[in-house]
Amino acid sequence: MANMPNGEQGCGSPLELFHSIAAQGELVRDLKARNAAKDEIDSAVKMLLSLKTSYKAATGEDCKVDCPPRDPAPESSEGLGAPAANEDFVDPWTVQTSSAKGIDYDKLIVRFGSSKIDKELVNRIERATGQKPHRFLRRGIFFSHRDMHQILDAYENKKPFYLYTGRGPSSEAMHVGHLIPFIFTKWLQDVFNVPLVIQMTDDEKYLWKDLTLDQAYSYAVENAKDIIACGFDINKTFIFSDLDYMGMSPGFYKNVVKIQKHVTFNQVKGIFGFSDSDCIGKISFPAIQAAPSFSSSFPQIFGDRTDVQCLIPCAIDQDPYFRMTRDVAPRIGYPKPALLHSTFFPALQGAQTKMSASDPNSSIFLTDTAKQIKTKVNKHAFSGGRDTIEEHRQFGGNCDVDVSFMYLTFFLEDDDRLEQIRRDYTSGAMLTGELKKELIEVLQPLIAEHQARRRQVTDEIVKEFMTPRKLSYDFQ
């Protein structure tokens, strides 16, 4: 957990203060458990008391762990109320910002109480794995973490850990933004040589969307084909549908129930913004997303072990689920999961919101043809260029808001080439059309190769990935 910068501990809404107090309390408990230096503990306790004082000043009440403040905004089933003017808003269903540059991730780290992935941590990952850090780490696309140093401690001491990520299958076709956590998770699986579980939350999509159970499950299977096409090792990867797996795994369901017992209705309302009119399935779902964080949910993989720590690569909007999980873990005798958070992949129209699977022009889909990719980029990708060629040559373009450049930071592997493009576009030497052409030439083969791999994924291969079984790993 990162301490809040001096002078900022009194900032934020009562709800943000509530989450900051929870995060700081967790930090204090961790420091005491590790027998940290007295001055470090005293400093963390002082910060905690300061936050509690600010909370009382803002609400008139003492902060209670299981009692979030009442939200003055009208109750909504879509999140934690509308964002204030000029303020970023992030929850598992909604991402909004008024800035063309996108979300202010430094502020989000402070608000969520996570830690920045700094150069020192990236270097440590490189030393531990003996591999060049993935471009997502080099470029700050994965930018925030919780307890990654613990994972590296375990790895360096030959202690086990496993990976867990997931996908909410809301449509048959995935877009390139959906690939980000899977591209990175595959790299983590390869360099650390560890088992991986991938949760398909078809139950969640049934609860939130206008889908039948059969539709939700069929989307899970179709999306699994795209995930498998990323190149995961079948001997080290278990993909599971919640609708399927929960009924056949007592270990998984027992953990769901344990989590449910330790989280109050007030807590999930405070974390997720549920209202009294939401169905009870939504209110209980966070426990289902939390359960794969614990190795005993997978007895066929880990036997009776309850001590194998989990590392979760995910987009930052999923963090509320795992803040809840980390709070519950020590109370039910399990290690807290560690996390690596990614930034959001911008819509073609700009970085203000996440993409929508229901808007075919908001992103490049994995089913798009080369011609569709070219048309979408040329027609819809938000430009940081000037109004005229003359102005652009004189003043240059703005890479901070240009979506084609943002996409290249995700998918162009060559750091030197990316930097050359940035310099040329910023100086005006490269025009918007030329920048878009660079992106098209990166995306067309990437999507074509993905489609070719996906065609090789048969129903039998999907069934094998989704069959509960022993996975291969080196640790004892």
Side-chain angles (χ1 to χ4, degrees):
M1 283 314 140
N3 284 345
M4 286 193 165
N6 290 332
E8 290 200 21
Q9 62 265 37
C11 300
S13 68
L15 190 60
E16 288 172 2
L17 283 166
F18 176 81
H19 289 317
S20 296
I21 288 166
Q24 191 66 18
E26 187 179 331
L27 174 66
V28 170
R29 288 192 292 276
D30 280 351
L31 290 171
K32 288 180 176 177
R34 297 203 314 262
N35 293 320
K38 183 177 183 300
D39 58 346
E40 194 178 357
I41 294 173
D42 289 347
S43 173
V45 170
K46 187 177 175 184
M47 175 70 77
L48 179 61
L49 295 174
S50 174
L51 286 165
K52 287 183 174 180
T53 302
S54 299
Y55 181 92
K56 187 164 186 177
T59 64
E61 299 173 347
D62 289 327
C63 183
K64 298 190 175 87
V65 168
D66 61 350
C67 191
R70 287 183 292 277
D71 193 337
E75 287 190 329
S76 156
S77 63
E78 290 302 309
L80 306 178
N86 301 320
E87 188 178 313
D88 294 343
F89 181 76
V90 175
D91 77 2
W93 306 278
T94 310
V95 176
Q96 287 178 287
T97 177
S98 58
S99 169
K101 294 181 181 180
I103 297 290
D104 185 329
Y105 292 104
D106 287 333
K107 282 187 180 174
L108 206 57
I109 285 173
V110 172
R111 216 167 84 210
F112 280 12
S114 58
S115 302
K116 189 177 179 71
I117 295 179
D118 55 18
K119 184 69 178 155
E120 181 190 339
L121 180 56
V122 175
N123 289 343
R124 188 177 175 201
I125 292 170
E126 182 171 17
R127 287 195 306 273
T129 61
Q131 302 286 331
K132 180 180 180 180
H134 194 276
R135 63 180 181 274
F136 291 173
L137 284 171
R138 302 196 305 267
R139 297 174 190 166
I141 288 167
F142 273 80
F143 71 101
S144 161
H145 75 101
R146 297 184 188 277
D147 290 345
M148 185 59 192
H149 285 291
Q150 274 187 23
I151 293 291
L152 293 171
D153 289 345
Y155 182 72
E156 288 163 357
N157 289 304
K158 305 287 189 283
K159 289 183 179 171
F161 74 92
Y162 70 100
L163 294 163
Y164 155 40
T165 194
R167 160 86 184 126
S170 57
S171 64
E172 197 167 318
M174 288 167 59
H175 55 61
V176 284
H178 292 140
L179 287 181
I180 302 308
F182 297 109
I183 290 170
F184 189 59
T185 300
K186 182 198 180 302
W187 181 82
L188 291 169
Q189 182 184 57
D190 289 346
V191 300
F192 287 108
N193 189 27
V194 287
L196 161 68
V197 297
I198 300 174
Q199 180 182 44
M200 308 299 285
T201 57
D202 40 10
D203 53 344
E204 175 202 15
K205 293 308 172 188
Y206 170 73
L207 293 166
W208 262 268
K209 304 271 184 184
D210 186 20
L211 297 174
T212 66
L213 281 171
D214 286 345
Q215 281 175 317
Y217 180 74
S218 72
Y219 288 164
V221 172
E222 287 305 306
N223 286 188
K225 292 177 182 176
D226 277 310
I227 292 167
I228 291 165
C230 291
F232 291 105
D233 185 339
I234 197 166
N235 297 310
K236 296 180 188 142
T237 307
F238 173 46
I239 302 174
F240 64 98
S241 138
D242 285 343
L243 291 174
D244 217 14
Y245 184 60
M246 185 114 92
M248 65 172 81
S249 176
F252 188 87
Y253 185 61
K254 283 175 183 173
N255 280 339
V256 170
V257 173
K258 284 181 187 176
I259 297 159
Q260 287 171 338
K261 183 169 182 174
H262 288 82
V263 181
T264 68
F265 181 40
N266 261 340
Q267 281 176 307
V268 291
K269 278 207 296 189
I271 296 168
F272 300 103
F274 296 139
S275 75
D276 292 346
S277 58
D278 275 314
C279 72
I280 60 172
K282 288 185 180 181
I283 293 151
S284 60
F285 173 74
I288 296 170
Q289 185 159 323
S293 308
F294 306 131
S295 57
S296 55
S297 293
F298 306 101
Q300 72 282 2
I301 301 173
F302 300 109
D304 58 2
R305 290 193 69 162
T306 61
D307 63 334
V308 185
Q309 193 174 10
C310 175
L311 173 62
I312 306 169
C314 63
I316 187 74
D317 62 334
Q318 297 302 299
D319 188 67
Y321 285 108
F322 301 113
R323 289 204 298 272
M324 181 199 82
T325 309
R326 285 167 57 84
D327 181 58
V328 170
R331 290 187 275 152
I332 57 178
Y334 297 145
K336 293 176 185 178
L339 286 103
L340 292 167
H341 301 125
S342 73
T343 59
F344 300 116
F345 192 81
L348 277 170
Q349 288 81 355
Q352 274 92 343
T353 61
K354 284 200 299 187
M355 287 156 300
S356 166
S358 59
D359 178 359
N361 292 322
S362 70
S363 187
I364 306 297
F365 283 77
L366 301 180
T367 49
D368 284 347
T369 63
K371 184 179 177 184
Q372 285 174 314
I373 293 167
K374 183 177 181 179
T375 302
K376 283 185 181 182
V377 171
N378 282 329
K379 192 173 178 182
H380 298 290
F382 185 81
S383 165
R386 303 288 174 170
D387 292 339
T388 67
I389 289 178
E390 292 74 21
E391 281 184 20
H392 189 89
R393 292 291 190 206
Q394 184 178 355
F395 300 110
N398 184 352
C399 288
D400 288 341
V401 302
D402 192 288
V403 166
S404 295
F405 185 79
M406 292 180 191
Y407 278 31
L408 284 171
T409 64
F410 281 88
F411 293 117
L412 178 61
E413 176 60 34
D414 187 331
D415 292 340
D416 293 336
R417 180 64 190 141
L418 184 70
E419 177 58 21
Q420 185 64 51
I421 291 169
R422 188 192 66 75
R423 284 202 301 265
D424 288 351
Y425 193 63
T426 304
S427 71
M430 177 181 277
L431 299 174
T432 295
E434 294 167 329
L435 176 57
K436 289 187 173 187
K437 184 171 181 285
E438 292 274 353
L439 175 62
I440 291 162
E441 289 174 356
V442 168
L443 285 179
Q444 284 176 332
L446 183 142
I447 300 297
E449 287 162 17
H450 180 88
Q451 290 167 352
R453 289 193 302 270
R454 191 189 192 279
R455 285 193 290 272
Q456 304 299 313
V457 180
T458 63
D459 289 339
E460 289 71 30
I461 289 172
V462 175
K463 187 176 179 184
E464 191 175 342
F465 267 97
M466 297 184 77
T467 299
R469 65 202 187 283
K470 177 82 172 165
L471 297 182
S472 121
Y473 49 82
D474 288 339
F475 52 77
Q476 298 302 308

